[in-house]
Amino acid sequence: MSYQESLAQWQAAKLPDYLAENLTSYTPEQQEDAFYQNLSFGTAGMRGILGAGTNRMNIFTVRQVTEALARYIDAQGETAKKRGVAISFDSRHFSPEFAKDAARVLSAHDIKSYLFSSLRPTPELSFTVRELDAFAGIMITASHNPKEYNGYKVYGEDGGQMVPEAVETIVTELEKISDIFNITLDLDDKNIQIIDQELDDKYLENIATITVDKELVANEGKSLKFVYTPLHGTGQYIGEKALQQAGFTNYSIVKEQAVIDGDFPTVKKPNPEDAAALEMAINYAQNNGADVVVATDPDADRMGAAVKLADGTFQVLTGNQIAAVLVNYLLTAKKNTNTLPKNGAIVTSVVSSRFASKVADSFGVITADVLTGFKYIAATIDEYEATKEHTFLFGFEESFGYLVKPFSHDKDAIQALVLFAEVSAYYKSQGKTFADGLQELFEKFGYFEEKTISLDFPGIHGNDEMAAIIAKFRDNQPSKIGDLNVIRTQDFSTATETTADGETAKLPQPKANVLKYWLEDGSWVAVRPSGTEPKLKFYIGVESSSQAISQSKIDIITSDLMTYTK
């Protein structure tokens, strides 16, 4: 169907006033962008700009994907339908409406829904799927995207983002639904159960187990001075409860950013990866004499932080740096208490730093590398629990996602928030700062630096433009990047690794459109398109004997990579 035909269908449909007005306001270019395709269902579901159209997030596209999910559950039988679907949502515009409509579509199929009455974090939704033995989960969120976006994540029965095989079935059903304006809703809500306090309490009981050294927190928790910002999202209610039950009471919350507001009025992007999002919290910290700043994104699955340096300024940490320090603290504690398993493993993505891996290796703990997407970390945890081959100790992605304990099967900023506070308290008890702890690891393991370059390719030609850049790499495999020789090339689309002298080996990960180049000095570069947004990402990781040398390497490699985009 052409975009003009899709547009005509929408123009003839009975739309809510706000969507009808939005539709009539489109320029010809906006019409094409809103209708040239259906919103794609990617790595973790679908995500898009709010508005009228097949390529937009709205009540009709939400009903459509939920109808596809319902048909998938129907095919699994009555037991799956009775186990039902847990549903939560964040602070974005239309999130409550999308969640309620999803529940009503499922109810029309006699599928049970467990619906939170108000916003809750993504990791609590993941926990809820597992706790209630639900068959699936839905989280209405666009995570850390700007205010114009919303999204729809689907979870499997293990509490992890739904695996590719199930997603393919849902996409097949999605493509069969041609009339998205007449999907049946159960307006009597007969299969919908509201869940709130009971699940909050159970989640918090599990969060209490994140604390490693209760005596340390009891001694230092009341005096550790830090600032927390939930960035207008779901983190405040559960995050504050988690901090307080652990024993951290001497913190300030950024009041302006504790207001639930889908416009995110104090930031351009509510993304703790973005240093600008932490500026207000850092100002709070400087005015209140705090040593640490922590931030969670709107659905509280990502956590970012900034720490005070000796000169009183604040350094915004990278996700890789945070992970390395947390891993060091956890493994040191286990070693000191003789609870470090001989088959321990941390799990991370192929585009994350080797910093935490090097720390883990010093404790005899292996690193398992998986594709980007926390569902692959969750699947690895499930594999370990089934085979007992390894014991999961920590999971992370460079994009500020961490998992300490697998009672959630997605990245969990509430877990990370509590552990980060404890590690800060630990260094305070030693007369040091978190920044000092990071510096100690640099001196011991080397100066690791990373950089992620994210290029936007919006619109109808975006995918083709991204594909052309990736094709440049595949058609002209680089033998050098910057001034360093490429010694191994990993092409995950063929699950093949090729050395500089032509030897090949199979990669253990599933096939994916990712390229990774290992350089002669241990540096690496990866190229991949985003699974949920029209973005192409370059990842760079280096290590050396000093920060200055590492930064110089980053700069040289960056300059070379940019030639592929021209």
Side-chain angles (χ1 to χ4, degrees):
M1 184 184 297
S2 68
Y3 89 84
Q4 292 94 340
E5 290 171 318
S6 292
L7 172 61
Q9 280 189 347
W10 277 68
Q11 289 171 330
K14 182 174 175 55
L15 303 177
D17 290 344
Y18 68 93
L19 284 178
E21 291 171 8
N22 180 232
L23 186 62
T24 58
S25 72
Y26 283 160
T27 65
E29 292 78 14
Q30 289 171 327
Q31 285 179 345
E32 183 176 18
D33 187 59
F35 289 95
Y36 81 92
Q37 66 173 8
N38 289 337
L39 200 60
S40 62
F41 201 95
T43 307
M46 64 184 194
R47 189 181 302 177
I49 295 170
L50 288 160
T54 60
N55 192 33
R56 295 288 184 267
M57 281 293 298
N58 52 67
I59 56 170
F60 298 110
T61 51
V62 166
R63 291 172 187 174
Q64 181 185 28
V65 72
T66 309
E67 174 68 18
L69 173 63
R71 293 181 186 183
Y72 168 71
I73 297 173
D74 282 342
Q76 311 308 308
E78 287 303 312
T79 300
K81 294 171 70 168
K82 288 176 181 176
R83 288 173 63 190
V85 181
I87 304 174
S88 186
F89 56 92
D90 70 2
S91 56
R92 291 176 180 274
H93 295 304
F94 299 104
S95 284
E97 293 88 342
F98 292 169
K100 189 62 176 287
D101 268 12
R104 284 174 164 171
V105 170
L106 294 170
S107 185
H109 285 255
D110 288 323
I111 297 170
K112 179 88 171 179
S113 287
Y114 299 95
L115 176 65
F116 283 100
S117 66
S118 59
L119 71 174
R120 294 296 192 282
T122 289
E124 186 174 356
L125 182 277
S126 172
F127 168 80
T128 298
V129 172
R130 295 171 62 80
E131 180 68 21
L132 296 180
D133 191 32
F135 183 77
I138 297 170
M139 181 71 197
I140 304 297
T141 180
S143 192
H144 55 287
N145 278 57
K147 64 182 180 180
E148 294 84 8
Y149 286 77
N150 210 329
Y152 185 111
K153 290 183 178 180
V154 183
Y155 288 79
E157 59 188 325
D158 71 334
Q161 294 164 17
M162 195 162 271
V163 296
E165 296 78 13
V167 169
E168 287 173 12
T169 304
I170 293 170
V171 170
T172 298
E173 290 296 337
L174 192 62
E175 291 170 350
K176 296 177 184 177
I177 302 168
S178 57
D179 183 1
I180 68 174
F181 301 110
N182 289 294
I183 290 170
T184 304
L185 301 176
D186 171 23
L187 300 181
D188 294 327
D189 301 344
K190 63 178 182 292
N191 295 300
I192 300 172
Q193 179 179 333
I194 299 299
I195 52 169
D196 284 322
Q197 189 66 46
E198 180 184 359
L199 271 300
D200 292 344
D201 291 345
K202 288 181 178 178
Y203 177 65
L204 286 166
E205 283 175 19
N206 282 270
I207 289 291
T209 68
I210 295 300
T211 300
V212 176
D213 189 337
K214 295 185 185 299
E215 183 178 354
L216 166 72
V217 175
N219 292 335
E220 299 291 343
K222 293 182 178 64
S223 59
L224 177 69
K225 204 167 188 180
F226 65 97
V227 172
Y228 169 50
T229 173
L231 296 177
H232 302 285
T234 63
Q236 181 191 358
Y237 173 70
I238 293 293
E240 286 207 81
K241 284 182 177 293
L243 288 169
Q244 290 166 8
Q245 80 171 5
F248 297 104
T249 55
N250 191 28
Y251 64 89
S252 302
I253 193 156
V254 181
K255 293 178 181 178
E256 297 91 334
Q257 295 179 332
V259 176
I260 303 300
D261 190 335
D263 281 330
F264 309 116
T266 65
V267 290
K268 287 184 178 179
K269 295 180 181 179
N271 185 357
E273 295 180 65
D274 184 358
L278 274 64
E279 285 180 359
M280 183 173 285
I282 290 171
N283 287 336
Y284 257 65
Q286 290 173 325
N287 292 335
N288 291 286
D291 296 322
V292 177
V293 165
V294 283
T296 54
D297 70 342
D299 68 322
D301 65 347
R302 299 171 192 246
M303 185 209 74
V307 292
K308 185 187 283 187
L309 304 178
D311 63 1
T313 62
F314 276 76
Q315 175 187 350
V316 177
L317 302 176
T318 70
N320 290 313
Q321 290 169 344
I322 292 170
V325 179
L326 297 186
V327 165
N328 184 67
Y329 179 79
L330 285 171
L331 300 187
T332 299
K334 287 184 179 295
K335 183 178 180 180
N336 291 343
T337 56
N338 295 315
T339 58
L340 185 65
K342 292 182 179 179
N343 65 345
I346 66 170
V347 188
T348 188
S349 73
V350 296
V351 297
S352 296
S353 171
R354 302 297 91 187
F355 191 8
S357 304
K358 201 167 182 180
V359 172
D361 185 60
S362 72
F363 289 89
V365 171
I366 70 151
T367 298
D369 292 315
V370 299
L371 295 177
T372 302
F374 228 85
K375 63 184 173 187
Y376 295 108
I377 294 177
T380 303
I381 294 169
D382 289 340
E383 179 186 331
Y384 289 168
E385 290 177 349
T387 66
K388 311 300 182 187
E389 182 181 1
H390 293 290
T391 300
F392 172 78
L393 298 175
F394 190 79
F396 79 96
E397 289 185 322
E398 43 72 42
S399 53
F400 292 74
Y402 320 95
L403 185 64
V404 186
K405 289 191 175 182
F407 55 82
S408 300
H409 261 39
D410 202 351
K411 46 191 177 287
D412 191 334
I414 307 301
Q415 290 190 30
L417 179 65
V418 171
L419 182 61
F420 191 93
E422 179 177 346
V423 176
S424 299
Y426 165 75
Y427 284 115
K428 184 176 184 296
S429 73
Q430 303 291 312
K432 301 174 183 176
T433 65
F434 196 102
D436 293 330
L438 176 61
Q439 186 63 31
E440 288 173 358
L441 294 185
F442 279 146
E443 291 171 2
K444 184 175 182 180
F445 296 105
Y447 284 80
F448 288 78
E449 291 284 340
E450 297 81 34
K451 182 177 183 179
T452 300
I453 303 165
S454 184
L455 305 176
D456 293 320
F457 291 89
I460 191 168
H461 302 296
N463 286 335
D464 291 340
E465 291 167 355
M466 284 192 288
I469 293 172
I470 294 175
K472 278 188 184 180
F473 282 93
R474 286 203 170 98
D475 295 342
N476 304 282
Q477 289 286 2
S479 58
K480 274 193 171 188
I481 296 180
D483 55 0
L484 297 167
N485 291 319
V486 176
I487 60 170
R488 285 186 291 148
T489 297
Q490 295 175 327
D491 189 341
F492 290 86
S493 71
T494 58
T496 303
E497 176 178 277
T498 306
T499 63
D501 57 10
E503 292 184 7
T504 62
K506 296 299 289 184
L507 296 172
Q509 295 86 356
K511 292 182 179 180
N513 190 14
V514 181
L515 289 164
K516 188 170 184 179
Y517 303 97
W518 290 92
L519 310 182
E520 60 185 316
D521 67 340
S523 301
W524 56 270
V525 171
V527 185
R528 65 175 282 270
S530 170
T532 51
E533 301 171 87
K535 294 177 182 291
L536 183 65
K537 293 188 175 184
F538 295 141
Y539 303 83
I540 305 167
V542 305
E543 58 179 293
S544 74
S545 58
S546 77
Q547 187 175 18
I549 293 173
S550 290
Q551 188 56 56
S552 175
K553 288 184 180 184
I554 292 270
D555 293 341
I556 292 169
I557 291 171
T558 298
S559 178
D560 193 6
L561 287 177
M562 288 302 98
T563 63
Y564 284 85
T565 67
K566 297 173 183 176

